[in-house]
Amino acid sequence: MPAPSPTQPPPEAVAPLMRGIAVLRALSHAAGTLSLSELERATGLARATVDRVTATLARLGYVRLDGRDAVLAPRLMELGNAYLAAIRLPDLLGGRAAALAAELDESVSLAVADRDGVRHVHQATRRRAMSLSFRIGDLLPAERTAPGPLFAAGWTAAEWTRWREHRAADPDGRDFPAVPPAAVPHGEGFERRAAEAGRRGWALDDQLVAPGLVALAVPVRGPDGRIVCAAGVVSHTSRHSAASLRDAALPRLRAAVHDMERELLAARPAGPAPATCPDGGPAARIRAAKGELGRDFVESLARGLSVLTAFGEGRDTLTLSAVAEATGLARATARRALITLEHLGYVTAHERDFRLTPRVLDLGHPPLSRTTLAAVATPHLAALVTRVHDSASLAVLAGDDIQYTARVATGRIMSVDITVGTRFPAYATSMGRVLLAALPPARRAERWAGTGLRPLTPRTVTDPGELGAVLESVARSGYALVDEELEEGLRSLAVPVRDRAGTVVAAVNVAMHSVRRTRAQCVDELLPQLRATAGRIEADLRVAGRFSPVATA
């Protein structure tokens, strides 16, 4: 793993914060999972240090300890989200990118410069078998992308020198693990291509970043005339050559960029966000965590990471005093954290003001930006099963059926045996009724108009009017209890799972043999646990889905 900085840390740097970030970067570059022994080798840290750091990160919700493995958790995305919210580009320009993607029927992305590399911060993709997309936050070498020459056209002599020295020191591209090694030295002629891109106002990637991929990019300038990002159209050689993509897309891309620049010009500065939190802010939560975990909790690591989350919408630029106020940390503590983060390249300082840099996205965002609802839910289902000793599942609505997308079974001799991918009629299941109850009443009724409902057991509700009344009750109560309607002896309880917008996207349930608990015990004992689990899944979805879509199936 490449070192974050070639220089020695300043005396005020917080060593535990540097170690914690080294662990997060190692996990991010390893697709999100490493054993503790592998982390020890990747970071060069002592095993005892790795254990304390991962225990702290787990307590913060940033990693999950799964046996001997450390796994990045969705909550870690709040660090990258702070940067994306601060720059506001996905929120301001995402709609224009989506409209262009629909118009061209090609993927469209927004990218920013990160020193001598490029990071994508937003993309509007097209659903195809041959999917073309980048992970949000992946660092790509500038010379192998379409946006790179546009940014490099404005480099100073010192920046060109840094680029040459970096490539000479890393000829195999180890600092860019997201792209395969170049078959030929693509750095040759890059200065010429950058000069051409500066004159023309557009640049092409003709299979430089990956075989078969072609891309066209145009700079997007802010009100001050500086390039704030590059908008790009990405296609495959089965659809376009680089030249045909330019001919087909350049006029419409330029028109879209013109509209994007008008959006930036018209955008009002985001209003300042509250400086402190009602619960005392991160400092109070860190103290509570320290009390729970004791000496194994690395408090200075937690404090340093909380500084990154002080930034966000309305807080793109903060003074030291503002950081201290937003986090609840002492000024001296906040100052040392900022010095450390600046040394590592995650914060930049100008006079008294601090900003986050795109490098913050390197902290877990790329692997987590492809997460799925099942991946988010499974650890929480496993924790629920441990507490209630019955199987738990997550399902989505698939036509008139539910489809199981995540499941954790219990170890009982007699247990409910269902596999991921199984489908059941929605009307006869607890998760199905929760999902149907979230639909408008007219849409519920349409599903069985003229077809009737098939009895699966003697207890199955088959009268449409009765089922409609049951679904109204489920909508009011927020849960569904189904007793031996799908299969005799099977009782299950389910609650909804909502996304960031409050839309029901899935349901979670606990299923058991009817002799395990009475109906009243299900409501009294299981319902609070089930709702708490759904709440934890929803909390992760709010973070994971802020700037990256979470696939539900």
Side-chain angles (χ1 to χ4, degrees):
M1 183 187 68
S5 172
T7 61
Q8 290 297 315
E12 302 96 326
V14 182
L17 175 57
M18 296 177 66
R19 296 179 191 125
I21 285 177
V23 167
L24 290 176
R25 294 182 76 247
L27 284 167
S28 184
H29 292 178
T33 303
L34 283 175
S35 70
L36 298 180
S37 297
E38 289 169 333
L39 270 176
E40 184 181 356
R41 291 192 293 271
T43 61
L45 299 174
R47 177 56 183 268
T49 301
V50 169
D51 289 344
R52 291 190 67 210
V53 166
T54 53
T56 300
L57 294 172
R59 180 59 185 78
L60 295 173
Y62 290 161
V63 304
R64 174 170 52 86
L65 296 177
D66 185 3
R68 298 180 178 180
D69 291 340
V71 183
L72 295 181
R75 186 173 177 181
L76 179 63
M77 293 181 76
E78 71 180 14
L79 303 183
N81 286 353
Y83 165 75
L84 294 173
I87 63 172
R88 302 177 68 198
L89 294 177
D91 288 334
L92 291 174
L93 307 184
R96 298 288 184 182
L100 180 61
E103 180 184 356
L104 296 174
D105 196 25
E106 302 285 1
S107 295
V108 173
S109 63
L110 302 176
V112 298
D114 186 358
R115 295 170 69 90
D116 59 359
V118 170
R119 294 188 194 268
H120 287 84
V121 296
H122 179 77
Q123 56 187 351
T125 59
R126 308 304 290 165
R127 186 177 292 276
R128 290 199 185 95
M130 181 67 71
S131 176
L132 291 176
S133 62
F134 300 95
R135 298 190 308 181
I136 300 300
D138 266 332
L139 182 64
L140 309 177
E143 66 273 17
R144 293 179 63 184
T145 68
L150 299 172
F151 297 129
W155 283 356
T156 64
E159 288 170 319
W160 277 109
T161 298
R162 183 177 64 194
W163 173 77
R164 295 187 199 94
E165 292 175 348
H166 187 181
R167 297 306 180 269
D170 181 31
D172 298 326
R174 291 187 302 273
D175 287 2
F176 302 96
V179 296
V184 295
H186 290 304
E188 292 183 4
F190 182 49
E191 293 180 63
R192 173 185 54 78
R193 290 193 290 120
E196 289 177 355
R199 289 193 302 270
R200 297 181 306 198
W202 53 269
L204 283 170
D205 165 12
D206 188 358
Q207 304 185 74
L208 296 178
V209 74
L213 185 149
V214 291
L216 169 71
V218 169
V220 180
R221 299 183 183 275
D224 60 0
R226 291 184 295 179
I227 299 176
V228 296
C229 69
V233 179
V234 185
S235 189
H236 192 268
T237 50
S238 61
R239 292 173 58 81
H240 281 289
S241 67
S244 72
L245 179 64
R246 176 198 60 207
D247 295 341
L250 184 56
R252 283 177 282 185
L253 178 56
R254 278 177 163 161
V257 165
H258 177 71
D259 291 338
M260 289 179 182
E261 292 174 343
R262 290 176 59 188
E263 293 277 5
L264 294 175
L265 186 62
R268 296 180 179 178
T276 57
C277 301
D279 61 358
R285 294 192 291 274
I286 290 169
R287 286 193 295 270
K290 175 70 172 178
E292 292 177 14
L293 202 57
R295 63 181 301 275
D296 288 333
F297 187 79
V298 186
E299 194 169 5
S300 54
L301 167 57
R303 288 171 173 169
L305 293 177
S306 75
V307 167
L308 295 175
T309 62
F311 295 83
E313 188 172 357
R315 302 190 303 269
D316 59 328
T317 302
L318 293 176
T319 63
L320 170 60
S321 297
V323 170
E325 187 177 3
T327 56
L329 301 175
R331 278 177 56 91
T333 302
R335 176 178 173 274
R336 291 190 65 202
L338 286 167
I339 289 173
T340 307
L341 294 169
E342 184 182 9
H343 166 70
L344 296 176
Y346 300 104
V347 167
T348 184
H350 178 67
E351 296 180 350
R352 299 178 58 213
D353 294 330
F354 296 89
R355 289 178 181 268
L356 296 184
T357 73
R359 186 171 290 191
V360 175
L361 294 170
D362 207 29
L363 301 179
H365 217 86
L368 291 171
S369 68
R370 295 283 180 85
T371 195
T372 64
L373 177 56
V376 170
T378 297
H380 298 294
L381 296 179
L384 175 63
V385 168
T386 299
R387 293 193 299 271
V388 303
H389 308 293
D390 279 303
S391 300
S393 305
L394 178 137
V396 297
L397 198 59
D400 292 337
D401 297 334
I402 60 164
Q403 182 170 10
Y404 283 71
T405 57
R407 178 166 172 77
V408 177
T410 184
R412 292 185 175 277
I413 294 175
M414 185 171 63
S415 62
V416 180
D417 185 18
I418 300 170
T419 59
V420 170
T422 298
R423 295 169 73 121
F424 289 125
Y427 67 87
T429 66
S430 61
M431 290 191 286
R433 289 183 180 175
V434 163
L435 294 167
L436 292 172
L439 300 175
R443 287 188 58 195
R444 299 176 204 156
E446 289 172 359
R447 290 176 176 263
W448 301 285
T451 61
L453 301 169
R454 182 168 59 93
L456 304 177
T457 76
R459 293 173 176 263
T460 307
V461 173
T462 57
D463 178 72
E466 183 181 354
L467 180 60
V470 169
L471 296 179
E472 282 295 329
S473 176
V474 171
R476 289 193 302 271
S477 66
Y479 72 90
L481 177 61
V482 171
D483 194 7
E484 299 188 83
E485 295 188 48
L486 177 66
E487 182 177 321
E488 292 183 90
L490 178 64
R491 180 174 290 153
S492 65
L493 180 72
V495 299
V497 174
R498 293 178 169 83
D499 63 10
R500 287 183 54 84
T503 302
V504 174
V505 294
V508 291
N509 85 338
V510 172
M512 73 214 78
H513 194 279
S514 57
V515 300
R516 283 273 297 138
R517 291 182 178 87
T518 66
R519 292 173 61 94
Q521 286 174 324
C522 285
V523 174
D524 294 342
E525 299 172 8
L526 291 183
L527 186 56
Q529 296 272 12
L530 200 52
R531 282 176 165 159
T533 297
R536 295 183 184 102
I537 295 171
E538 290 170 347
D540 280 352
L541 285 180
R542 283 193 292 272
V543 177
R546 175 65 177 90
F547 293 103
S548 301
V550 177
T552 58

